[in-house]
Amino acid sequence: MSLVSRFLPILGWLPAYDRADLRYDLIAGITVSALVIPKALGYAGIAQVPLEAGLYAAAAGAIIYALFGTSRQISTGPSSALAAVAAGAVAATGLAGGDAARLVAGITVAAGLAFLLLAVFRMGWISHFLSKAVITGFLFGAAVEVVIGELPKMSGTEATGANSWQKLDAWLDTIGDFDRPTFLVAIVALATILVLRFIAPKIPGALVLVVGGLIASGLFDLAEYGIATVGDVPRGMPLPALPSLELMVANASEVGVATAALLLIGFSQTAGDARAFAARHSYRIDVNQESVAQGVANVGAGLFQGMPVSTSLSASSLNDASGARTPVASLVTGVMVLLTLFILAPLFSDLPKPVLAALIVDAVVFGMMDLPEMRRLWRVKRVDFWIAVAAIVGVLSSGVLAGVVIGIILSMAWLIYASAHPETPVLARVPGSTAFRSRDEYPDGETCPGLLIVRIDGALLFVTTDVVEDRLRQAVLSSEEPISGVVIDFAGVNFIDSQGSAKLRQIATLAENAGISLRLTRVKPSVLAVLRADAVAEHIGEDRMHSNIDEAVQAELGSRAPD
């Protein structure tokens, strides 16, 4: 039973549920549903699938996560970022209608299975293959692409192109052909949701926009003015069905890239948000189990013909602010979505497309365009900023799926470059102490005549050995006075491979031939074990391995003293 409840946490906490929490969970669940339901419609629009698919995913994600998750405040459902990835797969395959919906459902199941594999093999570290800068740029670019795609719906025109640049150019050529009633409705809808966001942020703008759009559609008979509506939204939930294997195989490359993107983005969102809420409320979460929960939620959403789901920070924050005490709040949200599907779903059929487009634009602009983070990247690390810009350009030029590949390549390239070029600062003594710091930080630091002190800040392995040797050689040659002794601080070296060990032997030999004394300090046990196994420690001399820099300096100065 303990093993079962570990896999299905609800069996552990539900029997001990405190009824005093029910009121808070009910209020939170109903409140969140008012946010989730209209946004699910918008996310389905982003993903280029029928609107009901967003509601299917919202219901399945919320209910299944409550059964398997360990966070008390997390709300799981469709998100703008995941919807953009799904849309990228649809665009790349050129599918539409029912085939597009089946493809997205299949990708959702594949992403769920990938989450489960991640949990089984405890491979959460794989999510780090997309750096924060790349994710920021990727989401920003995807948001811009979605906005460009919604412009024709807001103006009642058509615009096509191979990429976002061409689509924007084509749309600009249609400015004189705008359908005025459609454009007017879009502007009013966009102004309404923006005013509510900035003037009355506590009011659910998405819900107001959807309800207002439906009322306006009925009162003013907007269809008579040529304003398109979203079309039939069926009542109820479909029976679970396996993805079309033929469709998945025929589009294997797009499915694979989309699955990888959903996994990388979804896991980074889930782990970070779950930890944040757990820390805020002083309880522990199981990150591995969170992967299981997200995996099962996606499999369930896909089987019910939905779209990808993940942690929704906006919904989770609202859930928390509304007083959610347990995952019962998520169950309530899921039940409210189900009730909407079985009772109110056909009402959404009359929703004007320009109103839905305004909802989508608001969702992606404020959910995916992180301007503060872009400004921070520019201020803190320019190379990260330009990596983000490259990701944006990649998405707009090649599409979302190609943008994912570009993002991974950029992340890996930067990782390899940074790993292959470890810092090797020259050190000097802080006056009046035994501490040594970089001479760049302390230009007035004390130095010893003829003695060079260098710190290696990174692993010593096959990609770094030549760089480290070149920098040591340059430091010796650029010294204003002849160098007779070198102290290498290994405090920053936490790994060394056979090539790194061989390079250190070569450096020691070169130093010996040049009449330079070589000493190492603060060598970690794991690194020292490799040096001993390769007889490098013996070659340098165990007596030249020191516990700190000051000890090495004193030993070197003592060795110069006359007998």
Side-chain angles (χ1 to χ4, degrees):
M1 185 62 187
S2 175
L3 183 61
V4 174
S5 63
R6 184 176 178 182
F7 178 70
L8 202 62
I10 191 172
L11 297 179
W13 60 261
L14 189 59
Y17 183 74
D18 187 350
R19 291 185 179 180
D21 293 337
L22 183 59
R23 182 169 71 92
Y24 298 99
D25 287 336
L26 282 172
I27 293 173
I30 294 172
T31 302
V32 170
S33 66
L35 172 70
V36 166
I37 292 170
K39 286 206 167 186
L41 301 175
Y43 297 148
I46 295 173
Q48 305 299 311
V49 296
L51 298 194
E52 59 269 21
L55 296 175
Y56 299 158
I63 292 173
I64 295 174
Y65 177 82
L67 304 180
F68 291 88
T70 60
S71 174
R72 301 170 190 171
Q73 284 76 33
I74 285 297
S75 179
T76 294
S79 73
S80 53
L82 302 188
V85 173
V90 172
T93 58
L95 297 175
D99 285 341
R102 285 187 286 274
L103 176 72
V104 171
I107 291 173
T108 302
V109 172
L113 294 176
F115 260 108
L116 293 175
L117 288 175
L118 202 73
V120 169
F121 294 104
R122 298 182 179 274
M123 295 175 62
W125 50 268
I126 201 172
S127 65
H128 300 150
F129 281 134
L130 275 182
S131 70
K132 181 65 182 297
V134 167
I135 290 177
T136 299
F138 167 76
L139 294 180
F140 202 109
V144 174
E145 181 176 66
V146 169
V147 170
I148 292 173
E150 295 303 312
L151 291 176
K153 300 174 186 177
M154 299 177 73
S155 60
T157 57
E158 295 289 336
T160 59
N163 56 43
S164 295
W165 308 111
Q166 294 179 10
K167 291 176 184 177
L168 179 59
D169 182 62
W171 179 78
L172 290 174
D173 288 338
T174 69
I175 288 179
D177 301 323
F178 278 9
D179 182 75
R180 292 183 180 180
T182 299
F183 189 60
L184 178 61
V185 170
I187 293 299
V188 171
L190 192 57
T192 299
I193 197 169
L194 291 177
V195 167
L196 289 176
R197 176 178 290 278
F198 291 108
I199 304 300
K202 292 186 178 180
I203 296 177
L207 181 62
V208 170
L209 191 61
V210 170
V211 173
L214 291 173
I215 293 174
S217 182
L219 284 179
F220 303 109
D221 198 9
L222 297 181
E224 288 294 320
Y225 292 92
I227 298 173
T229 59
V230 299
D232 182 52
V233 179
R235 192 191 307 269
M237 281 281 288
L239 293 174
L242 291 173
S244 168
L245 184 59
E246 182 181 356
L247 187 67
M248 299 288 281
V249 171
N251 302 282
S253 59
E254 291 82 1
V255 170
V257 175
T259 299
L262 294 173
L263 180 67
L264 294 172
I265 296 172
F267 185 84
S268 63
Q269 289 178 333
T270 297
D273 294 347
R275 284 194 180 102
F277 286 110
R280 185 180 303 170
H281 294 280
S282 302
Y283 65 88
R284 296 182 63 184
I285 55 108
D286 184 341
V287 174
N288 201 55
Q289 182 61 30
E290 287 299 303
S291 294
V292 171
Q294 294 297 330
V296 180
N298 273 282
V299 170
L303 293 178
F304 281 102
Q305 310 309 301
M307 55 188 292
V309 298
S310 183
T311 298
S312 170
L313 182 57
S314 59
S316 299
S317 299
L318 180 60
N319 200 33
D320 183 32
S322 300
R325 302 287 180 85
T326 73
V328 166
S330 185
L331 286 173
V332 172
T333 298
V335 169
M336 292 298 296
V337 178
L338 282 177
L339 291 175
T340 301
L341 275 165
F342 280 93
I343 299 173
L344 301 177
L347 295 177
F348 297 122
S349 302
D350 294 326
L351 184 66
K353 281 189 176 181
V355 172
L356 181 63
L359 175 62
I360 290 171
V361 169
D362 175 78
V364 298
V365 168
F366 293 97
M368 296 168 63
M369 292 184 178
D370 196 344
L371 284 173
E373 178 63 14
M374 291 294 289
R375 287 195 294 266
R376 190 186 73 86
L377 293 177
W378 174 265
R379 184 179 68 253
V380 176
K381 194 75 172 178
R382 293 290 170 85
V383 66
D384 286 341
F385 173 82
W386 290 116
I387 285 175
V389 170
I392 294 172
V393 174
V395 170
L396 297 180
S397 302
S398 306
V400 172
L401 290 194
V404 172
V405 176
I406 292 170
I408 294 176
I409 292 173
L410 286 172
S411 293
M412 295 303 297
W414 176 239
L415 173 64
I416 293 171
Y417 177 83
S419 299
H421 294 79
E423 294 291 329
T424 53
V426 175
L427 308 182
R429 187 194 302 273
V430 178
S433 73
T434 58
F436 289 79
R437 297 289 184 271
S438 169
R439 284 204 309 214
D440 292 336
E441 299 176 30
Y442 291 89
D444 297 329
E446 299 174 351
T447 59
C448 300
L451 181 60
L452 178 68
I453 307 170
V454 179
R455 185 181 68 232
I456 301 175
D457 290 337
L460 193 57
L461 66 169
F462 67 98
V463 296
T464 64
T465 54
D466 289 339
V467 173
V468 170
E469 180 187 12
D470 289 343
R471 290 181 178 176
L472 285 173
R473 188 191 305 274
Q474 181 61 30
V476 170
L477 294 177
S478 62
S479 176
E480 296 179 355
E481 54 188 22
I483 297 297
S484 59
V486 174
V487 174
I488 304 178
D489 181 16
F490 265 62
V493 180
N494 56 11
F495 180 81
I496 188 171
D497 65 0
S498 60
Q499 193 167 327
S501 177
K503 178 62 67 174
L504 188 59
R505 179 194 293 275
Q506 182 181 344
I507 290 172
T509 300
L510 290 173
E512 183 179 349
N513 293 339
I516 297 175
S517 170
L518 178 65
R519 297 178 185 270
L520 307 184
T521 179
R522 299 197 289 184
V523 183
K524 289 180 169 58
S526 59
V527 175
L528 184 58
V530 174
L531 297 182
R532 284 173 173 165
D534 200 22
V536 176
E538 180 182 354
H539 180 81
I540 295 174
E542 293 278 354
D543 60 328
R544 293 175 177 270
M545 305 279 186
H546 303 278
S547 60
N548 58 66
I549 301 176
D550 187 63
E551 177 185 301
V553 170
Q554 296 303 324
E556 177 61 25
L557 294 178
S559 68
R560 300 178 182 179
D563 295 334

